Amino acid sequence: MKSFLIIGAGDFGHYLCRDLAEMKNEILIVDKNEMALEDLVDVATSTMIADCTRESVLRRLGVANFDVCFVCIGGNFQSNLEITSLLKDLGAKYVVSQASNEVHIKFLLRNGADEIIHPHKDSAMRAAVKYNSEHVFDYMDLKDGYSIYEITPLPEWTGKSILSSNIRARYEVYIIGIVAVNGETSYMPSPQKVIHREDHLLVLAHEETIEKLLKKM
């Protein structure tokens, strides 16, 4: 269990708070609008009505005690930037800030953000990858060109085990899960696991590798 500070209870802050709460984490969510917090009172560990652009407010929160501080103020970049900078000045361990465009990303990274979340860009990229090919069902971007893809198996893989197909060596693709036709997922499957035509494979691969693979499908 980790402790999270979420500043901003807009749409993204709401979803983030609910998802982290389902994972049994401790969450303090803060917004200057009381109405924005009403439906989160029973979700978050605690809520607080305050203006986090004020240094005195952030000092009272004890930002250095949280594992991660999220700044989820997408509609007011000035406030987002000020809060991000103040959090780092006050000793926050790790600051994740929401950005709405590439210019904002650069300024936030220069002023204390350890990581950037760009919800619209991330959603668009995920949708583009998914709908660009009938063989890709889901996608999660990682780093350095690597991603996790949910794909259909190549015809030459079906009816064979992962080991006998020699997928890792021949295609530089790592199978980390198999989704059966009934929806059940086997993670880190045995090399002896047989791949069926109806299966979906969760694979870790470089984008260049997956492009070559999709051309064979």
Side-chain angles (χ1 to χ4, degrees):
M1 182 174 64
K2 290 185 176 182
S3 60
F4 296 94
L5 170 63
I6 301 175
I7 298 173
D11 289 343
F12 182 72
H14 264 72
Y15 285 121
L16 182 63
C17 180
R18 291 183 181 280
D19 288 344
L20 288 173
E22 287 182 3
M23 298 173 188
K24 309 301 181 184
N25 292 293
E26 292 185 355
I27 305 157
L28 168 60
I29 184 165
V30 185
D31 198 290
K32 60 183 179 182
N33 182 357
E34 182 178 1
M35 293 182 63
L37 296 168
E38 283 184 349
D39 63 334
L40 295 175
V41 171
D42 296 326
V43 176
T45 310
S46 55
T47 61
M48 180 177 178
I49 305 163
D51 181 0
C52 289
T53 59
R54 297 169 57 187
E55 183 176 343
S56 59
V57 170
L58 293 180
R59 286 188 180 279
R60 290 202 305 272
L61 294 178
V63 299
N65 297 319
F66 293 92
D67 292 306
V68 181
C69 296
F70 290 96
V71 187
C72 306
I73 305 176
N76 188 330
F77 177 66
Q78 184 62 37
S79 294
N80 193 343
L81 188 63
E82 290 177 8
I83 294 169
T84 298
S85 181
L86 283 171
L87 285 170
K88 268 308 186 187
D89 289 344
L90 295 172
K93 297 174 186 174
Y94 200 83
V95 179
V96 181
S97 299
Q98 180 181 347
S100 55
N101 60 55
E102 298 298 325
V103 175
H104 291 178
I105 289 175
K106 292 178 181 178
F107 276 100
L108 288 166
L109 289 173
R110 290 172 183 170
N111 286 273
D114 294 292
E115 188 174 342
I116 299 296
I117 291 178
H118 194 332
H120 299 304
K121 181 180 179 181
D122 294 342
S123 297
M125 177 62 75
R126 187 173 182 178
V129 171
K130 177 178 179 179
Y131 293 107
N132 180 60
S133 172
E134 61 182 10
H135 300 287
V136 177
F137 298 90
D138 208 348
Y139 157 88
M140 184 174 69
D141 187 35
L142 300 177
K143 291 184 177 180
D144 301 323
Y146 285 90
S147 298
I148 295 174
Y149 302 85
E150 181 181 343
I151 63 171
T152 54
L154 280 178
E156 62 195 67
W157 298 349
T158 60
K160 301 177 182 177
S161 69
I162 296 173
L163 180 62
S164 62
S165 299
N166 203 22
I167 296 170
R168 178 173 173 178
R170 290 182 62 191
Y171 296 93
E172 297 181 339
V173 168
Y174 299 80
I175 297 177
I176 61 175
I178 297 179
V179 184
V181 68
N182 63 2
E184 293 185 359
T185 303
S186 302
Y187 293 102
M188 304 304 292
S190 163
Q192 306 304 326
K193 179 75 173 177
V194 174
I195 300 170
H196 301 287
R197 181 171 57 84
E198 302 84 2
D199 290 339
H200 289 179
L201 307 181
L202 301 179
V203 301
L204 171 63
H206 193 275
E207 58 186 13
E208 294 179 357
T209 301
I210 210 72
E211 286 177 8
K212 294 176 183 177
L213 191 62
L214 291 175
K215 289 179 181 178
K216 294 178 177 289
M217 294 182 175

